[in-house]
Amino acid sequence: MKKKKKTLIITSLTSCNGCLFSILDLGQTFFKVLEDFELADFHLIEDKKANNEIDIDITFIEGTVTRKEEKIKLKNLRQQTKTLIALGACAHLGNIQKIKNYGNKDKILKYVYPSSGEKIDNWKIQPLSAYVPVDFVIPGCPPNNQEILEVLRQVAIGSKPHLPDRPVCYECQIKNYPCLLLEDKPCLGPMIRGGCEAICLKSNLPCTGCRGRVNEPNEEKMQELLGNKEYERVLEIFGNK
Amino acid sequence: MSVREKITISINAINKIEGHAGFVGKLENGLIREARLEVKEGARLIEGILIGRKYTEAPWITARICGICPTVHNLTAIKAIEKALRVKASPQTTTLRKLMLFGQFIQSHMTHIYFLALSDFFNLKSDLTLVKINPKITREAIQIRDFGNLILNTIGGRNIHPTTTAIGGFRKLPSGRMLNKILNTAKKNLETANDLFDFLNNLTFPEFQRLTVFAALANKQEYALYNGQIKLPKNKTYSPQIFLKKANEEQEMAGDLIKKVKIARESYLVGALSRINLNYRKLNPFARKALARAEFTLPCYNIFYNLLAQMIEVIHATEETIKILSEFKIKAEKIQKYKTKAGRGLGVTEAPRGLLFHYYEIDARGFIKNCNIITPTAQFLANLENDLEKFLENSRKENDIKMLIRAYDPCITCAVH
């Protein structure tokens, strides 16, 4: 007997939508993988109305809750979905839009909208897990689409999604990229979760932490290496502070 | 006395665009009173969060304004900061950045043409059906899109949110071998791009037009994407600074998230169709030939032909890549040395959807004091709404309205940012 296909939603809240485009970057492979699913909603490639009534097996959601409607959307999706996957740094950490949390939010809002800042619904940024239970996180800004593919394949056959939890340094050393910490550059590699193939280090760009912390990071050592101020500055970029 | 007949057309979600928006149209006694796009996402306050941060973060953070055109935000921020710090990029750096722009255009245009817009022309709701009924076109479109990504990955380090670019040069240069791979792939793709153009050219395009003003970058040497003056019809040109004095950003209503831009209170068009209208003389030979075969004549005011204009640009960018790389030899080059100092700089480029401005004011310690980012969609949104108003006279069908909106290729995440 043919097994029933799993139902899948891929969607977004406030973000750059880059996670969704990194899925499209899988090209033909993505269309092939989709054959194993019943696609219930992916607003970038389909023009159909989202159906809040049906049961969903897996939802990938990127972006942050920035206003009331988005919280409602997220809560509804949670209710519908068996496995809710936070996709990318916005959903996981808050990403760049969380920088406003570290300053004076009202002043920042007023800077952008001088005449009507107070009329704009603009929430403090939190990870999706602050609003609803999240079953799994695919980290990164953007996420590594090979990891997305891996997770899609895992959930298609009903296994629990899993990705390795190793620091960026692990992959950086395997690839033999020069260590930027040794050059006194503010690289968060030792405490940030890899899986990105150390792609920034490949370009001599220090890790700024888009994938969030590993389990049990040695923060004290990191702080000591970078200096308190610099450490805080880099942590703020993707909402790690 | 007759009763006033009021009709509201409301579309809650327009799928297959970048970001989230809906549509509201209001009619009274058959007359159109309003046609508006409604933003359905939040503001990330990009300019606000940059204040007080180091200027070096601006290109890294602003790339994240957009997942479909991050490279052009990154490069425009870099250009603006280089202006502020009076850093002059080397000729090699400029060439590599131009190549990145071609990659960005090819990737973004193909995403729009194939994934977002094409289904409309077959009256389909899903790309998954499009894949099934037209595997050849799917293969070709994805192949060309992959080529754009190859350029971005090779030179930019990554196609989404580049890693190699820096103020004053590149952190890492592409190898000659990889550039050669781009050259060979470009040669292979040129014919495919031509075929795809002919396929698109045979589609049925809705008849619709409304006169408007075009604006685009222009320079004497080339089909301007990376630098130039701002050109308007009748050969009027302005420096970017003067242009921005004429082009006013404003919230139409309190609480609007997008600040629409108008020139002398009139809407204008930016993007592929605008560029082709103003700069077609600078197109490369195959792109010129494609234009000659096109189902429209210039000046063209029918936005549905934006798809063909984008495809012509894909051909042009492929040719330009071949032209540049046939004579290019990469040489080792360090990032230029420069000092942090106070200054202000305006950077402008053509993004796939049109003119993009980044402006930064930096203090002597390197912190951002002021900044402003004006995106293509914020510039053409008023034009899109004016088109919609006129379009409603022909059709009030939901599918037709969505098709017109998608033909513009709006990027709501950019427009709000």
Side-chain angles (χ1 to χ4, degrees):
Chain A
M1 203 181 87
K2 219 176 152 197
K3 255 196 161 170
K4 206 174 153 263
K5 287 180 182 180
K6 302 233 181 290
T7 44
L8 172 72
I9 287 179
I10 302 173
T11 190
S12 64
L13 303 170
T14 293
S15 66
C16 82
N17 278 198
C19 302
L20 304 188
F21 289 107
S22 73
I23 294 178
L24 290 192
D25 288 344
L26 293 167
Q28 300 276 21
T29 315
F30 173 57
F31 288 130
K32 191 101 195 97
V33 168
L34 277 189
E35 289 171 8
D36 296 336
F37 293 94
E38 182 68 46
L39 190 63
D41 182 21
F42 182 12
H43 58 82
L44 265 194
I45 66 165
E46 292 200 304
D47 185 7
K48 44 182 188 190
K49 286 199 173 75
N51 182 349
N52 295 335
E53 307 299 317
I54 51 171
D55 285 338
I56 300 297
D57 291 304
I58 303 115
T59 292
F60 285 75
I61 182 159
E62 66 142 306
T64 50
V65 171
T66 317
R67 47 191 230 157
K68 195 173 153 209
E69 291 85 343
E70 290 178 321
K71 184 179 158 187
I72 296 168
K73 178 177 172 177
L74 178 63
K75 294 252 174 192
N76 285 341
L77 281 168
R78 177 66 274 185
Q79 241 170 22
Q80 264 184 295
T81 307
K82 257 189 242 152
T83 307
L84 184 87
I85 298 177
L87 176 61
C90 293
H92 176 203
L93 304 165
N95 207 341
I96 55 165
Q97 55 265 40
K98 196 179 161 191
I99 292 174
K100 74 176 175 214
N101 291 14
Y102 310 125
N104 181 336
K105 200 200 87 178
D106 292 336
K107 216 172 126 190
I108 290 168
L109 188 59
K110 207 83 188 153
Y111 180 78
V112 180
Y113 300 106
S115 60
S116 68
E118 66 287 344
K119 292 215 169 82
I120 289 168
D121 192 21
N122 195 280
W123 292 17
K124 196 178 128 193
I125 300 296
Q126 300 187 74
L128 296 190
S129 59
Y131 296 99
V132 294
V134 167
D135 299 304
F136 191 69
V137 168
I138 300 177
C141 182
N144 178 349
N145 61 8
Q146 294 309 308
E147 287 199 334
I148 301 176
L149 187 60
E150 181 62 34
V151 171
L152 275 168
R153 284 178 173 149
Q154 290 165 359
V155 293
I157 55 166
S159 49
K160 234 178 131 184
H162 55 93
L163 289 170
D165 177 31
R166 291 188 287 241
V168 173
C169 294
Y170 177 85
E171 283 159 305
C172 189
Q173 283 172 359
I174 287 176
K175 303 231 173 207
N176 217 2
Y177 299 143
C179 177
L180 296 182
L181 275 172
L182 292 176
E183 297 173 25
D184 274 337
K185 296 201 174 119
C187 183
L188 294 185
M191 62 176 264
I192 296 299
R193 191 172 159 193
C196 52
E197 299 168 54
I199 191 164
C200 292
L201 282 303
K202 185 184 178 186
S203 307
N204 299 312
L205 180 70
C207 171
T208 47
C210 74
R211 301 172 63 86
R213 290 169 173 80
V214 284
N215 269 329
E216 300 177 25
N218 189 344
E219 298 213 33
E220 266 172 44
K221 187 74 192 161
M222 206 71 248
Q223 204 162 346
E224 192 189 309
L225 278 170
L226 266 61
N228 207 9
K229 234 174 150 182
E230 188 66 353
Y231 179 66
E232 301 256 302
R233 178 188 73 79
V234 184
L235 279 186
E236 282 177 358
I237 297 175
F238 288 105
N240 279 301
K241 198 166 109 173
Chain B
M1 227 169 76
S2 68
V3 182
R4 276 196 177 183
E5 183 214 18
K6 286 188 184 177
I7 301 172
T8 302
I9 306 164
S10 166
I11 304 173
N12 192 37
I14 301 154
N15 284 17
K16 288 165 130 288
I17 58 169
E18 225 255 355
H20 300 275
F23 170 80
V24 175
K26 286 186 178 146
L27 292 92
E28 214 176 287
N29 291 337
L31 291 173
I32 293 124
R33 292 282 177 220
E34 196 184 340
R36 265 176 74 86
L37 232 61
E38 287 202 320
V39 173
K40 305 270 185 180
E41 59 183 65
R44 289 172 293 157
L45 309 174
I46 302 290
E47 287 109 332
I49 60 173
L50 284 171
I51 303 302
R53 298 197 74 82
K54 279 201 177 162
Y55 67 86
T56 45
E57 288 181 8
W60 189 233
I61 288 175
T62 58
R64 284 158 176 85
I65 287 173
C66 181
I68 196 168
C69 63
T71 297
V72 64
H73 277 287
N74 177 265
L75 292 178
T76 311
I78 288 175
K79 274 182 64 178
I81 293 166
E82 285 177 349
K83 210 161 243 174
L85 300 176
R86 279 148 280 172
V87 178
K88 205 168 175 286
S90 73
Q92 173 166 291
T93 295
T94 304
T95 302
L96 290 172
R97 287 177 184 169
K98 281 184 183 174
L99 287 167
M100 287 175 74
L101 277 191
F102 302 149
Q104 180 83 97
F105 270 65
I106 293 167
Q107 174 271 131
S108 175
H109 282 354
M110 291 318 302
T111 306
H112 175 245
I113 291 170
Y114 180 81
F115 287 103
L116 306 180
L118 194 55
S119 295
D120 286 335
F121 288 81
F122 293 94
N123 212 3
L124 298 175
K125 290 284 176 195
S126 167
D127 292 352
L128 299 181
T129 326
L130 190 62
V131 172
K132 281 201 191 91
I133 64 168
N134 218 329
K136 181 172 172 277
I137 294 307
T138 304
R139 204 169 46 242
E140 289 179 350
I142 290 181
Q143 179 194 322
I144 299 170
R145 187 175 180 273
D146 283 348
F147 167 58
N149 278 337
L150 173 73
I151 301 178
L152 293 168
N153 283 317
T154 303
I155 304 176
R158 182 164 62 187
N159 62 326
I160 302 174
H161 308 330
T163 55
T164 58
T165 54
I167 295 150
F170 280 84
R171 292 171 200 280
K172 188 171 195 289
L173 290 166
S175 67
R177 191 179 58 84
M178 283 307 290
L179 290 175
N180 217 23
K181 187 176 170 190
I182 295 177
L183 175 61
N184 291 332
T185 315
K187 285 176 181 165
K188 262 187 256 159
N189 268 308
L190 190 52
E191 206 183 307
T192 316
N194 258 309
D195 290 350
L196 197 52
F197 174 82
D198 288 329
F199 167 81
L200 296 171
N201 199 27
N202 277 325
L203 299 171
T204 309
F205 290 83
E207 271 179 43
F208 170 75
Q209 67 164 10
R210 188 185 60 84
L211 298 193
T212 188
V213 173
F214 305 120
L217 270 190
N219 66 43
K220 287 213 168 68
Q221 298 78 36
E222 61 198 354
Y223 190 81
L225 301 181
Y226 185 70
N227 48 20
Q229 303 284 90
I230 314 283
K231 185 173 169 183
L232 298 173
K234 295 181 187 152
N235 272 322
K236 276 191 249 172
T237 50
Y238 301 97
S239 72
Q241 287 80 3
I242 303 286
F243 178 80
L244 281 192
K245 277 191 186 137
K246 293 179 175 295
N248 285 317
E249 271 195 299
E250 63 177 19
Q251 285 171 283
E252 219 160 53
M253 299 194 295
D256 273 2
L257 294 185
I258 300 175
K259 297 177 209 166
K260 289 179 206 166
V261 189
K262 293 180 183 174
I263 307 173
R265 302 197 175 175
E266 294 292 331
S267 65
Y268 62 102
L269 182 69
V270 295
L273 189 63
S274 193
R275 288 186 292 257
I276 296 272
N277 268 299
L278 292 171
N279 294 330
Y280 67 92
R281 283 192 187 85
K282 303 280 187 198
L283 288 168
N284 282 322
F286 281 99
R288 273 303 279 271
K289 276 184 206 147
L291 177 62
R293 297 199 297 280
E295 279 299 315
F296 63 84
T297 46
L298 299 180
C300 172
Y301 297 98
N302 179 348
I303 195 65
F304 290 103
Y305 286 115
N306 200 27
L307 254 79
L308 288 186
Q310 288 181 333
M311 200 60 221
I312 291 169
E313 289 194 329
V314 169
I315 296 170
H316 170 83
T318 309
E319 287 179 275
E320 196 69 14
T321 304
I322 296 170
K323 208 159 90 186
I324 289 177
L325 284 180
S326 298
E327 296 165 4
F328 185 76
K329 256 208 152 73
I330 190 98
K331 56 175 196 284
E333 196 177 75
K334 288 212 166 106
I335 293 177
Q336 302 215 13
K337 288 211 165 90
Y338 60 87
K339 283 205 175 98
T340 295
K341 59 183 160 223
R344 54 185 75 174
L346 174 67
V348 54
T349 52
E350 282 286 348
R353 286 158 193 72
L355 288 165
L356 172 65
F357 300 88
H358 277 226
Y359 170 78
Y360 300 96
E361 241 176 87
I362 300 164
D363 73 14
R365 293 171 308 148
F367 293 106
I368 296 169
K369 261 169 64 184
N370 269 309
C371 76
N372 195 19
I373 295 160
I374 301 176
T375 64
T377 300
Q379 291 170 80
F380 70 55
L381 184 54
N383 205 70
L384 163 58
E385 292 178 339
N386 287 345
D387 267 8
L388 280 168
E389 254 179 53
K390 180 160 186 208
F391 190 70
L392 288 179
E393 292 168 9
N394 307 351
S395 170
R396 295 170 197 173
K397 283 194 210 122
E398 190 173 312
N399 282 351
D400 292 344
I401 294 168
K402 286 198 245 184
M403 185 174 177
L404 177 89
I405 294 170
R406 286 196 276 258
Y408 262 88
D409 193 8
C411 175
I412 307 303
T413 59
C414 271
V416 177
H417 64 269

